Amino acid sequence: MTTQISSFVNGAYVNDASASVFQNINPATGKVICSVEAATPATLDAAIQSSLKAFKVWSKMPAIERSRRLLKAVEILRNRNDELALIEVEDTGKPWSEASTVDVVTGADSIEYFAGLAPTQVGTQQALGNDFFYTRQEPLGVVAGIGAWNYPLQIACWKAAPALAAGNVIVFKPSEETPRGALKLAEVFIEAGIPEGVFNVVQGDGKVGEWLTQHPNIAKVSFTGEVNTGCKVMAASSKTLKSVTMELGGKSPLIIFDDADLEQAVIASMLANFYTQGEVCTHGTRVFVQSGIYQRFVERLQDSIKTLKVGDPLNPDTHIGALISSSHMEKVLDYIRIGVEEGAHLLSGGRRVDHFECKNGYFVEPTVFTHCSDDMRICQEEIFGPVMSILCFDSEEEVIKRANNTGFGLAAGVFTQNIQKGHRVIHQIEAGICWINQYGASPAEMPVGGYKMSGVGRENGLETLGHYTQTKSIYVGIDPIESPYI
Ligand code: NAP
């Protein structure tokens, strides 16, 4: 018999006999992991009521005490790393080698970072003659967090960290593809002494997300997902003037100049396309290679790809796991067909992997196209799978123009051993998350978010705390009021 999980409201799992149920599938095996009770209207109402009650307690708690409890949660997360990583592997299909070293670790890092910042928030005070004013940084209230499926626990942590540190509470809706990571975080917060209702989790599909974006008691929506969904979320949030953070998709350029360290550039291009089987928003899927290094780069890449192992995500040697669902795998395979039809040259990969350990899962070979042109759909649209498109360029000016010729603006990378050129080029790229001679590193200290259609606001980094507070100005009269009337 499969187990059934549900929403987590006010410190406990909620069961509602009238709830509809959906299945959580392991994408590596096609097998049902558990069934999930979708939040009913009664559960959603209970989540809002519990959040409003919890906000009164949590927002009044001294920041240093909030910090202590968040740090306790960090300790528990790190102690339970392997148990939580296993859930991420089963729910997402990503390799154990990644989940056990990155997903829980980077989630905990973000909570640790913002826990440290919580007691540092200060207001200002300014004299105005004898009168003066002062300001307070106050939390917003109830925040809705809506997550994507590629980094379920990490996304929940990255949204909870600044929100909770600043004194807000959260109702979090995970993707229906990956319902368990956020529930585990909710359990950890309770164990760490964070009051009931500070972090509620509601299960369900996009309709549950939509309900949250329309609710008058939600002050802010922090969303991670596709651009089209982000536009809908922003439009719905505008009806009640909620503030929004939008972490959306990308089609980022990775630019490799002739003078780049070849080995490093090849490693980066593989990380920037095949990490998490290509399901990373910041991936550098348009790899621009300068003509002088082009041939050597392609040959070295072709050799390196042969070392990649696609297979059972639980095998510690596996590099490339399963895509999130059968429909997503079909979408990725469709894009590969489109690439071939558009005239790109399939250098390697391109097929579904269905050898014995992969036969019931949704695996796709690491795929590389050469002879790509900027107007091909594979170079314009986010594929979100292990598909790299290589484009050749001649001059610095040309590549900057071509790299910016997209509606997205999430990330970018430049490889060169000329330090001036590295900075000069990256300063002209329209993207929010950039790397020079690196790709993908995203420490909690560094703000991340998109330009153009890739996002609004930031996650992580110092400035993000400010996105979860509002400024109250308080004028204090010392001198008597001079009446204009008498
Ligand atoms: P998605 O389809 O946009 O869904 C994201 C979340 O929104 C899910 O929880 C989804 O619920 C929910 N949702 C769907 N319709 C909604 C609506 N009308 N109102 C409110 N919520 C709604 O994205 P995805 O396929 O899960 O994730 C992949 C995308 O996320 C990619 O584009 C990727 O680039 C992006 N991403 C961006 C970042 C970043 O930091 N910039 C990080 C990770 C991923 P259900 O799925 O349960 O229906």
Side-chain angles (χ1 to χ4, degrees):
M1 212 176 95
T2 52
T3 48
Q4 187 151 313
I5 60 169
S6 62
S7 301
F8 188 96
V9 173
N10 211 36
Y13 285 95
V14 200
N15 295 111
D16 184 336
S18 68
S20 61
V21 168
F22 60 93
Q23 291 183 325
N24 177 24
I25 309 279
N26 181 337
T29 61
K31 289 201 178 120
V32 176
I33 299 169
C34 59
S35 48
V36 189
E37 242 185 67
T40 59
T43 300
L44 291 169
D45 282 338
I48 299 287
Q49 291 315 316
S50 143
S51 301
L52 290 168
K53 209 168 120 215
F55 179 63
K56 290 193 183 139
V57 179
W58 185 245
S59 61
K60 298 274 180 313
M61 193 180 279
I64 191 103
E65 182 56 28
R66 287 202 299 265
S67 172
R68 281 187 201 115
R69 297 187 192 201
L70 287 167
L71 289 172
K72 179 72 190 158
V74 170
E75 190 190 323
I76 300 168
L77 283 168
R78 291 196 177 130
N79 288 340
R80 289 172 66 180
N81 182 74
D82 286 7
E83 172 209 336
L84 299 171
L86 179 62
I87 288 175
E88 297 301 80
V89 172
E90 290 173 347
D91 277 11
T92 64
K94 68 172 65 186
W96 170 256
S97 57
E98 293 183 13
S100 60
T101 55
V102 171
D103 291 49
V104 190
V105 174
T106 52
D109 283 353
S110 181
I111 299 177
E112 185 174 38
Y113 176 75
F114 284 105
L117 288 178
T120 69
Q121 281 189 294
V122 288
T124 56
Q125 188 274 344
Q126 188 173 352
L128 303 157
N130 288 325
D131 292 356
F132 66 95
F133 77 87
Y134 65 96
T135 61
R136 283 161 56 86
Q137 292 310 120
E138 296 190 342
L140 305 171
V142 184
V143 174
I146 301 177
W149 42 255
N150 58 341
Y151 279 78
L153 179 68
Q154 188 213 58
I155 289 173
C157 289
W158 283 20
K159 294 196 184 307
L164 268 47
N168 303 278
V169 298
I170 289 207
V171 181
F172 189 84
K173 189 203 93 64
S175 164
E176 60 185 325
E177 312 272 15
T178 52
R180 293 190 295 164
L183 290 175
K184 291 293 152 194
L185 182 61
E187 287 178 14
V188 167
F189 281 152
I190 293 292
E191 198 182 325
I194 292 171
E196 295 163 356
V198 168
F199 186 82
N200 289 319
V201 179
V202 290
Q203 302 287 0
D205 62 11
K207 287 193 214 77
V208 170
E210 203 178 336
W211 187 90
L212 291 171
T213 60
Q214 291 171 351
H215 201 285
N217 286 130
I218 302 273
K220 175 182 173 98
V221 181
S222 177
F223 173 82
T224 298
E226 287 181 8
V227 171
N228 285 342
T229 322
C231 291
K232 286 186 208 159
V233 168
M234 210 162 158
S237 301
S238 73
K239 304 260 168 50
T240 43
L241 278 188
K242 299 183 196 320
S243 102
V244 292
T245 294
M246 294 277 143
E247 294 291 336
L248 309 178
K251 191 77 196 174
S252 302
L254 166 57
I255 301 169
I256 296 161
F257 283 101
D258 284 346
D259 62 359
D261 178 317
L262 180 64
E263 286 303 312
Q264 287 284 296
V266 169
I267 293 168
S269 71
M270 287 167 64
L271 276 173
N273 281 273
F274 304 135
Y275 201 73
T276 318
Q277 21 340 293
E279 296 167 330
V280 177
C281 54
T282 50
H283 269 354
T285 47
R286 291 182 296 144
V287 180
F288 289 95
V289 186
Q290 201 164 18
S291 40
I293 199 177
Y294 185 89
Q295 204 49 43
R296 281 185 295 137
F297 175 84
V298 169
E299 282 164 16
R300 188 73 195 88
L301 177 68
Q302 204 169 10
D303 284 346
S304 302
I305 284 177
K306 290 182 192 138
T307 64
L308 292 179
K309 180 175 165 11
V310 184
D312 177 4
L314 285 170
N315 180 340
D317 297 333
T318 293
H319 300 113
I320 309 224
L323 294 172
I324 188 70
S325 62
S326 162
S327 60
H328 187 57
M329 176 186 69
E330 289 306 333
K331 182 184 143 185
V332 171
L333 291 171
D334 269 350
Y335 268 114
I336 294 171
R337 278 189 281 276
I338 289 167
V340 172
E341 280 161 24
E342 284 178 317
H345 170 67
L346 190 58
L347 181 78
S348 68
R351 290 168 306 185
R352 179 178 184 177
V353 181
D354 52 8
H355 60 67
F356 71 104
E357 68 182 49
C358 299
K359 69 176 182 319
N360 296 314
Y362 317 126
F363 297 83
V364 172
E365 290 175 328
T367 298
V368 179
F369 281 111
T370 57
H371 300 81
C372 298
S373 58
D374 297 355
D375 57 352
M376 288 177 177
R377 282 184 62 196
I378 56 164
C379 299
Q380 300 244 326
E381 298 169 21
E382 187 184 43
I383 300 174
F384 223 54
V387 184
M388 180 193 306
S389 298
I390 302 182
L391 301 120
C392 188
F393 74 95
D394 291 313
S395 74
E396 183 178 319
E397 197 188 3
E398 172 203 340
V399 79
I400 292 167
K401 202 165 155 214
R402 289 173 63 190
N404 285 335
N405 187 19
T406 167
F408 295 110
L410 191 58
V414 170
F415 273 74
T416 171
Q417 295 194 64
N418 177 330
I419 192 149
Q420 285 93 342
K421 183 161 64 182
H423 291 284
R424 184 170 68 228
V425 170
I426 216 78
H427 291 179
Q428 295 174 76
I429 298 293
E430 296 158 357
I433 312 167
C434 296
W435 294 279
I436 299 174
N437 296 333
Q438 234 297 346
Y439 208 95
S442 197
E445 298 90 331
M446 186 169 105
V448 288
Y451 280 20
K452 302 199 280 192
M453 293 298 280
S454 289
V456 176
R458 293 292 176 269
E459 287 192 323
N460 285 338
L462 205 51
E463 68 175 88
T464 296
L465 200 59
H467 299 172
Y468 287 87
T469 62
Q470 49 198 340
T471 304
K472 179 174 279 176
S473 299
I474 301 155
Y475 186 107
V476 180
I478 301 290
D479 288 337
I481 302 171
E482 279 180 25
S483 171
Y485 308 118
I486 47 172

